[in-house]
Amino acid sequence: MRVDVLTLFPEAFAGPLDVSIIKRARDAGLLDLHLHDIREHATDRHRTVDDQPFGGGHGMVMKVNVLDAALQAAQAAAEPAGHVIYLSPQGELLNDALVRELAAHPRLVLVSGRYEGVDERFVEHCVDREVSIGDYILTGGELPAMVLIEAVARHLPGALGDDASPREESFADGLLEHPQYTRPADYRGWTVPEVLLSGHHAEIEKWKQEQRRERTRRRRPDLLDGER
């Protein structure tokens, strides 16, 4: 998968996307990441990327012409043009189902906004979908872009080393993951459930499923609403 990110701060992505699973996926050629500086497409000598909103209001708005030029340049760099996503608190909530859907695209183009947002004409004419990582406001779209990239990268075949792993994680089938334990089996009197030490695979699997449903009922009952 190729992922292009349009941002005013390409340097913000150094570090978080250079370690662990993302680094391995990039090194293995599973994830091809490209950063594009939006400011390079400003046309004036001050490299202006924003302006005051028509009709008044607080803050500044990113300019449609600069964003469009940056997007066209990024899309022209490779085929296909890609699925264009604007990271916005007004977008659809990023969840497991959406992550899996996005992971099936051969190319994503992520647009990280700043200030009070972007000119609505860019969203209307250039963006395929808006995506939010939660009901809160951040300074810019860089952190949401990183969250989306990592979530999607985990579903690229070969990225985790065990392709079954994503199918067993929280939200994979609408339930939270079961509790996990490892050695030592007894620490300060804190013991591991006996069934996990029994070697009885059918009973262990039954316990895991019961724990997943009970944990979901207690912690995220909203995930079970569709079953009621």
Side-chain angles (χ1 to χ4, degrees):
M1 167 184 277
R2 174 175 172 131
V3 177
D4 295 79
V5 183
L6 278 60
T7 172
L8 293 175
F9 300 97
E11 64 274 15
F13 291 82
L17 301 184
D18 294 326
V19 298
S20 190
I21 291 171
I22 301 297
K23 183 180 188 302
R24 292 200 299 271
R26 295 176 68 182
D27 290 346
L30 303 174
L31 176 65
D32 187 16
L33 179 64
H34 297 264
L35 302 173
H36 306 269
D37 189 346
I38 295 172
R39 198 174 297 278
E40 291 182 355
H41 299 275
T43 56
D44 66 325
R45 65 189 182 90
H46 297 295
R47 303 178 77 193
T48 305
V49 297
D50 61 330
D51 207 336
Q52 296 177 341
F54 285 125
H58 299 288
M60 305 289 277
V61 177
M62 294 185 69
K63 296 164 67 68
V64 61
N65 57 326
V66 178
L67 286 166
D68 186 36
L71 177 60
Q72 288 190 47
Q75 290 180 315
E79 292 286 343
H83 193 61
V84 181
I85 298 173
Y86 170 48
L87 285 308
S88 164
Q90 298 185 26
E92 59 186 298
L93 188 64
L94 185 67
N95 57 24
D96 188 70
L98 179 53
V99 166
R100 292 170 187 271
E101 178 186 339
L102 295 178
H105 286 271
R107 184 183 185 188
L108 299 177
V109 180
L110 310 182
V111 181
S112 300
R114 281 269 162 172
Y115 314 121
E116 287 300 307
V118 307
D119 189 303
E120 188 66 20
R121 290 169 293 180
F122 178 75
V123 178
E124 291 176 352
H125 298 283
C126 304
V127 170
D128 293 309
R129 72 200 311 167
E130 296 180 69
V131 173
S132 168
I133 64 168
D135 296 337
Y136 46 85
I137 304 299
L138 297 174
T139 304
E142 284 75 21
L143 287 174
M146 294 179 211
V147 169
L148 189 151
I149 291 169
E150 174 155 346
V152 167
R154 295 175 59 82
H155 292 279
L156 300 180
L160 296 181
D162 179 2
D163 289 341
S165 183
R167 297 196 296 269
E168 300 173 354
E169 296 176 329
S170 291
F171 310 113
D173 57 1
L175 299 176
L176 299 182
E177 192 172 10
H178 57 79
Q180 301 278 11
Y181 302 87
T182 189
R183 296 180 178 84
D186 188 334
Y187 174 69
R188 294 176 57 186
W190 306 342
T191 58
V192 173
E194 286 294 329
V195 65
L196 298 179
L197 308 176
S198 68
H200 195 302
H201 298 297
E203 289 300 316
I204 290 174
E205 186 58 33
K206 178 182 177 182
W207 177 88
K208 287 181 178 180
Q209 291 303 315
E210 290 173 348
Q211 289 294 313
R212 296 186 70 203
R213 183 164 294 279
E214 176 59 19
R215 177 166 283 198
T216 304
R217 185 191 66 78
R218 287 187 288 108
R219 300 185 180 186
R220 290 292 305 277
D222 56 295
L223 295 176
L224 298 174
D225 286 345
E227 299 184 1
R228 295 175 182 173

